[in-house]
């Protein structure tokens, strides 16, 4: 089938062609697509036919120029009634629009999760070492954090009737007040 496609491409090379996508091997299709070309540009190089049959496999190897051509051709194809499009044309349009390339390319590669986990564990370990070092050289805890000071703060709050509706000075209060340990 590829040999016949190449033969037809050679036969059609004598005609001034616009680069187009082929869904079938039909020289009339190639000639009609070149005749209906609204583009005023003149193409001098011999044009090749890009089949839509397996665009997923071809996409990564295509040049930027070919990808642009595919986009333009698919825009023209999608202007037709969707029911008239072939399965290959529909698949190609979907892949080019929503495939895993460009902005939809996967962000992470296989194995990245283990690298991220390793880095997170390393950073947590480094931060624990830094925190332990700072605590070992730091001052002792302030006197206001002792249990006696916090109980004295509770007594002082009751004497001053602090928060008499719901707080420590209210009737039936069962909370710990300022005691945190």
């Amino acid at each position: 089938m590829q040999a016949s496609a190449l033969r037809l491409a050679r036969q059609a090379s004598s005609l001034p062609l616009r680069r187009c996508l082929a869904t079938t091997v039909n020289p009339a299709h190639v000639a009609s697509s070149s005749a209906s070309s609204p583009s005023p540009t003149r193409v001098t190089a011999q044009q090749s036919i890009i089949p839509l049959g397996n665009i997923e496999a071809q996409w990564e190897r295509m040049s930027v120029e070919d990808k642009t051509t595919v986009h333009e051709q698919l825009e023209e194809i999608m202007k037709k009634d969707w029911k008239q499009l072939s399965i290959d044309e529909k698949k190609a349009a979907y892949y080019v629009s929503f495939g895993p390339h460009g902005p939809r390319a996967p962000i992470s590669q296989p194995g990245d999760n283990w690298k991220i986990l390793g880095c997170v564990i390393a950073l947590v370990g480094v931060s624990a070492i830094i925190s332990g070092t700072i605590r070992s050289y730091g001052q002792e805890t302030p006197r206001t954090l002792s249990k006696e000071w916090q109980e004295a703060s509770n007594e002082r709050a009751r004497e001053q009737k602090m928060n008499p509706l719901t707080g420590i000075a209210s009737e039936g209060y069962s909370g710990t007040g300022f005691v945190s340990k």
Side-chain angles (χ1 to χ4, degrees):
M1 182 165 179
Q2 288 179 344
S4 63
L6 289 173
R7 191 175 335 112
L8 289 174
R10 286 183 192 138
Q11 290 172 356
S13 66
S14 62
L15 299 173
L17 291 179
R18 181 171 184 256
R19 184 178 200 127
C20 63
L21 299 172
T23 55
T24 60
V25 181
N26 186 352
H29 175 71
V30 174
S32 68
S33 66
S34 65
S36 65
S37 170
S39 174
T41 60
R42 207 175 86 196
V43 179
T44 58
Q46 179 179 354
Q47 301 297 324
S48 64
I49 298 172
I50 302 172
L52 289 177
N54 194 7
I55 197 78
E56 300 89 6
Q58 299 174 24
W59 189 258
E60 293 300 320
R61 292 176 287 169
M62 293 174 84
S63 67
V64 177
E65 178 183 304
D66 290 342
K67 288 179 183 180
T68 305
T69 304
V70 169
H71 278 287
E72 291 171 358
Q73 290 299 318
L74 285 174
E75 284 178 13
E76 291 298 320
I77 288 172
M78 288 190 293
K79 288 180 183 178
K80 298 178 189 175
D81 186 16
W82 192 254
K83 295 174 187 174
Q84 294 176 353
L85 300 180
S86 70
I87 297 294
D88 287 340
E89 291 171 338
K90 290 178 186 178
K91 284 181 181 179
Y94 183 81
Y95 181 80
V96 169
S97 298
F98 301 108
H101 51 81
R104 291 184 180 83
I107 294 172
S108 62
Q109 300 297 324
D112 281 352
N113 294 338
W114 291 109
K115 291 177 188 176
I116 292 169
L117 179 65
C119 290
V120 167
I121 289 173
L123 287 174
V124 168
V126 168
S127 64
I129 291 171
I130 291 172
S131 176
T133 305
I134 290 172
R135 289 188 132 234
S136 69
Y137 288 111
Q139 297 177 358
E140 57 185 66
T141 58
R143 62 186 174 143
T144 58
L145 291 179
S146 67
K147 187 164 182 135
E148 296 81 22
W149 188 282
Q150 291 172 351
E151 289 173 353
S153 295
N154 280 347
E155 290 302 319
R156 180 81 171 141
R158 284 189 200 104
E159 288 172 5
Q160 292 183 347
K161 296 186 180 175
M162 186 183 290
N163 198 357
L165 299 176
T166 60
I168 196 164
S170 66
E171 293 181 26
Y173 179 73
S174 62
T176 59
F178 292 108
V179 178
S180 62
K181 294 182 183 178

